[in-house]
Every structure is written in C-alpha cells, then in structure tokens.
C-alpha cells in the first residue's frame, strides 16, 4: 500500500497521514466509503461512531453482505480495517453522538460528519469550532443518481439542499452559529422518494470526497 502512494505524496506526507487522528461519525452509505478510503490511504488512527446494524435494505452499500445482516456496522468496519492493515488503531463506539454526549473532541485532528441527524451535525460543527478542529460535513446524498454532480462546497452556498437548509437554520436559530462550513454535497435536485433511497455510485463518490478532503489537507498542512 505504501509503495503505491510514496511516489505521489512522499515519505514525510505518508507519515503525517499515518499519524493523524480522525473522528468519523456515521459509517453508512457515505461513511463506509470514506472509512475504506482512509484506511487504504494509510490512515492508522480512526475513531468510528455509529449505533446501527445492517439490514437487508443496506445491501446496496459497502460492508453489507448476507453474512453481516444483523451485525453492528462498527464491528464489521473494524474487521474490514484489520484485514487491510493490521497496524490500524481503530476505536469503535456504539452510540449516538448528540448534545447530551460526554465526548472529548480535543483528541482529534479532523472530524468527518457522515451522519444524517441535523442536531448531531450541529453538535459536531460547534465542537469543531470550540476545539479549533477541522471538519468536513456531508450534506444530502440520498435520492440522487448523478455522481458527477457531487462536489466540495460550503454550507452557505448550498441552502437549496434540503438538509443544508435545515442544518443552517438549526445552527442559526438554536445555536447562534453564523460561520460557514466546508461540505461535500450534490448539485442535483433530489428525487422525491420516501423512505429516502440511495444509489451506491453517488454515495461512494461522496464518501471518497470526504476522505480526499482530509488526506489533501493533511498533506498541505
């Protein structure tokens, strides 16, 4: 793995990637691809938070197989990570992280938000600000079928995104937070569908963009 990256990034940058401490919240359709990419890029210190289990409807996403149905997503992710790099230090937490959680955000260099809950997203953003940590947030990727329209942007530039609009309103009205935030989003207007559906070609691109943001930021310092 290292041999495939060293000519692109250099030895010193690979060491930075290896030593970075990353918090990943959510390991579903988007988060699982983010996690996989981080591991394959040489990241060795990741805390993953998710409380969900795999259901049959999850078989269109990474790590979900017939054999993992009913199992915790975080446990499956840990096994997967160790099968790629036995030296990884993966801390998995089976919980829902919100404003009532007693959690030490100061331990991490980067926060990656791949969860669906608006209050949980707001909590991550506020703590990133409080502890001066870098954060990248995934907005709505469900009900989209055009992976080519997934991109890096900011929250304020994407208030037409239903999730982005709700998150911005929550941050302003309930948290009095007016700053902008880096996001991965889709420029595609979502298809009206309930429950929310997902297309692996789109969710995978969003997850890879999340990890790419962090990897490139580590390298650029």
């Amino acid at each position: 793995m290292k041999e495939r990256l060293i000519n692109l990034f250099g030895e010193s940058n690979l060491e930075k990637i290896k030593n970075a401490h990353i918090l990943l919240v959510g390991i579903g359709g988007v988060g699982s691809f983010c996690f996989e990419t981080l591991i394959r890029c040489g990241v060795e210190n990741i805390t993953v938070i998710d409380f969900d289990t795999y259901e049959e409807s999850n078989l269109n996403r990474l790590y979900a197989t017939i054999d993992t149905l009913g199992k915790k997503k975080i446990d499956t992710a840990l096994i997967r990570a160790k099968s790629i790099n036995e030296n990884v230090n993966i801390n998995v937490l089976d919980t829902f992280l919100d404003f009532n959680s007693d959690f030490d955000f100061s331990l991490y260099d980067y926060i990656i938000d791949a969860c669906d809950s608006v209050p949980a997203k707001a909590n991550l953003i506020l703590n990133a600000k409080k502890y001066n940590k870098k954060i990248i947030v995934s907005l709505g990727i469900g009900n989209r079928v055009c992976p080519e329209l997934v991109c890096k942007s900011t929250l304020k530039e994407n208030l037409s995104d239903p999730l982005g609009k709700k998150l911005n309103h929550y941050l302003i009205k309930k948290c009095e937070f007016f700053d902008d935030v880096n996001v991965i989003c889709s420029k595609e207007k979502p298809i009206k569908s309930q429950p929310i559906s997902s297309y692996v070609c789109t969710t995978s691109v969003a997850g890879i963009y999340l990890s790419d943001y962090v990897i490139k930021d580590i390298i650029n310092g």
Side-chain angles (χ1 to χ4, degrees):
M1 180 169 59
K2 181 178 179 180
E3 290 73 18
R4 294 286 184 175
L5 293 171
I6 192 167
N7 289 336
L8 296 175
F9 298 141
E11 185 80 38
S12 62
N13 283 326
L14 288 183
E15 195 66 17
K16 292 178 185 177
I17 292 170
K18 173 184 174 181
N19 294 326
H21 286 69
I22 296 171
L23 173 64
L24 171 61
V25 182
I27 198 163
V30 173
S32 58
F33 277 95
C34 176
F35 181 75
E36 179 91 359
T37 310
L38 291 172
I39 296 298
R40 292 188 182 276
C41 285
V43 176
E44 292 191 0
N45 301 286
I46 308 176
T47 293
V48 184
I49 298 179
D50 200 300
F51 64 96
D52 208 357
T53 58
Y54 284 113
E55 302 175 355
E56 191 170 354
S57 62
N58 299 141
L59 287 172
N60 69 333
R61 58 188 55 178
L62 198 61
Y63 304 153
T65 67
I66 297 297
D67 294 332
T68 63
L69 294 181
K71 295 182 179 179
K72 286 288 185 178
K73 293 179 179 179
I74 52 173
D75 295 337
T76 302
L78 177 59
I79 294 170
R80 174 71 170 185
K82 289 289 186 180
S83 73
I84 299 170
N85 181 358
E86 61 183 8
N87 296 318
V88 292
N89 175 30
I90 307 297
N91 183 29
V92 294
L93 299 177
D94 178 13
T95 188
F96 180 80
L97 194 61
D98 60 15
F99 286 101
N100 297 317
S101 303
D102 183 15
F103 190 81
D104 188 0
F105 289 91
S106 67
L107 302 175
Y108 305 97
D109 301 308
Y110 294 85
I111 300 171
I112 303 176
D113 166 28
C115 69
D116 299 324
S117 165
V118 169
K121 286 178 174 294
N123 179 45
L124 294 174
I125 292 169
L126 290 175
N127 277 288
K129 176 73 172 181
K130 177 180 178 180
Y131 291 99
N132 194 29
K133 304 297 180 179
K134 294 188 176 182
I135 185 170
I136 183 72
V137 174
S138 175
L139 293 185
I141 303 298
N143 289 349
R144 275 90 165 175
V145 296
C146 297
E148 70 274 15
L149 295 181
V150 176
C151 64
K152 176 185 173 296
S153 187
T154 70
L155 178 61
K156 301 295 187 183
E157 292 176 348
N158 288 277
L159 297 183
S160 59
D161 179 302
L163 181 57
K165 184 177 181 179
K166 289 178 182 178
L167 176 57
N168 186 66
H169 182 268
Y170 189 98
L171 287 168
I172 292 173
K173 295 299 181 181
K174 293 186 177 294
C175 308
E176 297 185 348
F177 181 89
F178 301 93
D179 293 353
D180 210 352
V181 181
N182 288 319
V183 301
I184 300 300
C185 62
S186 174
K187 298 296 186 181
E188 178 184 1
K189 184 178 180 180
I191 297 168
K192 292 183 179 180
S193 172
Q194 288 294 334
I196 295 176
S197 303
S198 62
Y199 177 46
V200 67
C201 294
T202 308
T203 56
S204 61
V205 170
I208 291 169
Y209 272 15
L210 286 173
S211 55
D212 178 68
Y213 172 87
V214 172
I215 294 298
K216 297 288 179 57
D217 198 72
I218 292 171
I219 291 171
N220 293 325

